[in-house]
Amino acid sequence: MVKANENYLKLPGNYLFSTIGKKVRDFQDKNPEVKVIRLGIGDVTQPIAPAIIKALHSAVDEMGSAETFKGYAPDLGYSFLREKISEVDFKGRGCDISPDEIFVSDGAKCDCSNIQEIFSLDNKVAVCDPVYPVYVDSNVMAGRTGIYDEIAQSYKDVVYMPCTADNGFVPEFPDETPDLIYLCFPNNPTGAVIKKDQLQAWVDYANKNKAIILYDAAYEAYISEGDVPHSIYECEGSKTCAIEFRSFSKTAGFTGLRLGFTVIPKELEAGGVKLWDLWARRHGTKYNGAPYIVQKAGEAVYSEEGRAQIKTQIAYYMENARYIYDGLKSAGYEVSGGVNAPYIWLHTPDNMTSWEFFDHLLTKANVVGTPGSGFGPHGEHYFRLTAFGSRENTLEAIERIKKL
């Protein structure tokens, strides 16, 4: 008899953003005349930069000619893109990452969730709390987390590292030594960053304990402060303990195009096994590569013109973040983030739960955000707003919230 993967049954309800979407749809069905402003899901709103659109058009034209047509992409991605990534994102920051250590994919979300496949099921996983839900959910699906405790709102076999206002939303070393450590900085959802000496301490910790850090740097382009590392490979010894994920989604507005990459150093091992070899085997077996036209668009991100246009777009979103931060602060909210990341993390008023505040904001101000409890037990009584809306909607949303 066929059996289902019962690990999926351990997941509590729907994916966080599916639940939010249903609540908003139900509200709008009952109130069709209301303008709802969405500052919840971190989807971009600015159009693709002109230099990238030009590259897309050129690549599409190439696909229409027998002489320049491209079929399946190389397993790791086209060399023209990997060489640019290596040169600009890593060697330009003093990181010794070669093009053949870069695996091009269709986004960081997929890689962050799929990377656990190359590790044994008996590895102990540690996550920040609150945390991007994909890290936990993908390990639940694999059967690595144990059962879900409804009261504690956590999984029995996951090591949760509290990120609170007291520690600046940066985790401390856990009492129980993990094997796989998920870190995300600049952080989603709190908007916090980790300073280089703090990250170096985590690298030293991982090497000492023979652990692997899975480092999500999807928002590194939003860093504005000089003492915040853009890559974990800026730290000494990181190539023997870290895998890094990057995304073009928020950096260059590729949420609809889909492009990202994962870095696995050649010397990185787990129990004497080269992880580069395992990921290359998995990548070649289960993935056919990002489309040529999208990788050509990715190459244009690194052009002089493309970098200037993207910098302007990021500045636009971070100006939104400043408006949200300042507006909430002036209204008496306790807020953080919004300086090196496009997320603002606020403490809910009047001891509301995060879902109570979600409903309050939706029904009274017609503004959508993300309940902090959806990111983990220490996200309760917190709420995330994103800076990816239009300027007009962002300003209107904050005025509505201030009136509450």
Side-chain angles (χ1 to χ4, degrees):
M1 183 178 71
V2 175
K3 294 183 178 180
N5 180 355
E6 295 188 359
N7 290 315
Y8 279 69
L9 304 179
K10 299 173 185 175
L11 294 166
N14 294 323
Y15 181 54
L16 170 62
F17 296 107
S18 299
T19 302
I20 291 172
K22 183 179 186 305
K23 278 179 167 281
V24 175
R25 285 193 301 274
D26 289 346
F27 176 80
Q28 291 215 282
D29 286 344
K30 296 174 184 176
N31 304 275
E33 76 288 352
V34 171
K35 176 187 176 182
V36 174
I37 299 177
R38 300 168 188 263
L39 299 181
I41 295 176
D43 197 1
V44 296
T45 54
Q46 294 296 292
I48 299 293
I52 299 170
I53 292 295
K54 181 179 178 182
L56 272 171
H57 281 299
S58 176
V60 168
D61 289 341
E62 288 183 58
M63 299 298 277
S65 169
E67 290 73 27
T68 53
F69 172 79
K70 301 291 189 300
Y72 290 124
D75 283 355
L76 271 66
Y78 285 99
S79 60
F80 61 75
L81 177 57
R82 290 186 288 112
E83 287 169 3
K84 286 291 186 183
I85 292 170
S86 171
E87 174 190 345
V88 177
D89 287 336
F90 295 103
K91 291 181 180 177
R93 294 190 177 279
C95 307
D96 183 24
I97 297 297
S98 63
D100 62 356
E101 293 174 310
I102 296 164
F103 294 79
V104 176
S105 71
D106 58 354
K109 179 180 181 179
C110 298
D111 287 354
C112 285
S113 62
N114 291 328
I115 195 69
Q116 51 79 27
E117 290 186 23
I118 67 173
F119 296 101
S120 170
L121 286 180
D122 58 6
N123 282 310
K124 180 70 72 172
V125 172
V127 296
C128 296
D129 176 21
V131 68
Y132 181 46
V134 168
Y135 310 150
V136 176
D137 288 2
S138 57
N139 280 283
V140 173
M141 294 170 181
R144 196 177 281 111
T145 61
I147 61 173
Y148 184 72
D149 185 331
E150 291 279 357
I151 297 174
Q153 296 185 348
S154 60
Y155 288 91
K156 175 177 174 292
D157 295 333
V158 173
V159 177
Y160 290 87
M161 303 181 294
C163 296
T164 67
D166 290 338
N167 59 21
F169 301 105
V170 174
E172 299 166 1
F173 301 137
D175 295 331
E176 183 178 4
T177 304
D179 303 301
L180 300 173
I181 305 165
Y182 286 83
L183 296 179
C184 173
F185 290 101
N187 186 258
N188 177 14
T190 67
V193 291
I194 192 168
K195 299 299 177 70
K196 187 174 181 180
D197 60 337
Q198 294 173 304
L199 187 55
Q200 182 65 60
W202 273 103
V203 168
D204 296 341
Y205 173 88
N207 278 319
K208 177 183 176 182
N209 291 287
K210 294 182 169 47
I212 300 291
I213 296 173
L214 304 173
Y215 194 73
D216 186 349
Y219 299 94
E220 63 81 26
Y222 290 82
I223 294 171
S224 61
E225 296 179 321
D227 57 347
V228 177
H230 288 248
S231 168
I232 196 169
Y233 301 118
E234 295 178 40
C235 295
E236 184 178 351
S238 53
K239 292 187 72 176
T240 57
C241 72
I243 293 171
E244 182 166 303
F245 309 97
R246 292 282 189 98
S247 171
F248 288 77
S249 289
K250 310 302 166 57
T251 300
F254 277 39
T255 54
L257 288 180
R258 308 306 308 147
L259 189 65
F261 60 89
T262 290
V263 180
I264 302 186
K266 289 288 187 70
E267 57 261 53
L268 183 61
E269 297 183 356
V273 177
K274 296 281 189 181
L275 294 179
W276 189 98
D277 295 333
L278 299 189
W279 189 244
R281 187 68 173 86
R282 193 251 174 225
H283 212 59
T285 300
K286 292 191 172 186
Y287 185 61
N288 270 335
Y292 171 73
I293 60 174
V294 177
Q295 293 196 48
K296 287 299 287 185
E299 181 187 29
V301 169
Y302 295 95
S303 68
E304 183 176 350
E305 187 180 14
R307 293 175 74 181
Q309 292 167 359
I310 288 166
K311 185 177 180 180
T312 299
Q313 288 190 342
I314 290 173
Y316 177 92
Y317 291 132
M318 291 310 294
E319 184 72 358
N320 281 351
R322 186 181 68 80
Y323 282 124
I324 297 171
Y325 183 98
D326 291 348
L328 293 175
K329 195 82 171 176
S330 69
Y333 286 90
E334 179 185 328
V335 292
S336 58
V339 176
N340 297 286
Y343 295 119
I344 290 81
W345 191 239
L346 66 99
H347 196 278
T348 58
D350 303 324
N351 204 36
M352 286 185 184
T353 68
S354 53
W355 278 108
E356 286 173 345
F357 187 67
F358 174 90
D359 291 334
H360 179 65
L361 214 58
L362 176 60
T363 58
K364 302 299 183 183
N366 311 138
V367 173
V368 178
T370 309
S373 61
F375 298 103
H378 277 85
E380 185 55 278
H381 300 295
Y382 281 92
F383 202 76
R384 191 193 76 173
L385 294 174
T386 82
F388 290 119
S390 69
R391 180 65 44 75
E392 177 187 8
N393 281 347
T394 298
L395 293 175
E396 183 178 346
I398 296 308
E399 287 305 311
R400 292 183 187 182
I401 295 172
K402 287 167 68 174
K403 289 177 182 178
L404 291 178

